[in-house]
Amino acid sequence: QVQLVESGGGSVQAGGSLRLSCAASGYTINNKRLGWFRQAPGKEREGVASIYTGGGITDYADSVKGRFTISQDNAKKTVYLQMNSLKPEDTATYYCGRMVLAGSPLDATKFRDWGQGTQVTVSS
């Protein structure tokens, strides 16, 4: 069974940090593009960061550049999202997915295998 499981969310104050984890089961993450997305209530799911595990190629949304870092551990079949200098506008449910269609590496419509999500709440 192909599955991605997110964890690591929580509640922090503005300026704080969190590290999210996305663990894959049912397949390896080698030579795949995995991405982190977020969705706030009433808003569309937006791309945050993605990584091609074959070469560590990363892409970031402008809103998180310099604050968030995506990384991989192929042996653990896990992709991480280190989030620093968090802002209230980062509050959302964060999901990870696997890219299955060609296109923008931050386009949610190109990704599948969504996990259940992990909630991140940043208070001011």
Side-chain angles (χ1 to χ4, degrees):
Q1 181 182 359
V2 174
Q3 191 175 10
L4 294 172
V5 179
E6 304 95 337
S7 62
S11 297
V12 297
Q13 291 190 328
S17 298
L18 285 172
R19 189 177 80 153
L20 306 184
S21 298
C22 170
S25 63
Y27 58 83
T28 69
I29 67 169
N30 296 1
N31 299 316
K32 292 181 175 62
R33 181 169 285 274
L34 299 181
W36 282 100
F37 296 76
R38 64 188 181 188
Q39 188 166 18
K43 295 188 176 182
E44 292 188 354
R45 189 167 297 187
E46 64 171 349
V48 174
S50 71
I51 185 167
Y52 176 65
T53 62
I57 301 168
T58 58
D59 290 89
Y60 294 94
D62 288 343
S63 59
V64 306
K65 282 181 181 177
R67 299 190 298 124
F68 291 9
T69 303
I70 190 170
S71 61
Q72 65 191 78
D73 185 331
N74 287 10
K76 294 183 178 180
K77 298 193 294 182
T78 300
V79 170
Y80 303 97
L81 185 67
Q82 178 67 44
M83 306 187 297
N84 299 328
S85 302
L86 282 162
K87 305 175 180 179
E89 51 263 44
D90 295 318
T91 295
T93 301
Y94 284 70
Y95 300 89
C96 67
R98 177 174 65 97
M99 192 171 192
V100 298
L101 297 174
S104 166
L106 294 177
D107 181 351
T109 65
K110 310 304 182 186
F111 287 71
R112 298 292 185 268
D113 298 344
W114 300 106
Q116 81 291 346
T118 186
Q119 178 66 38
V120 172
T121 302
V122 185
S123 58
S124 58

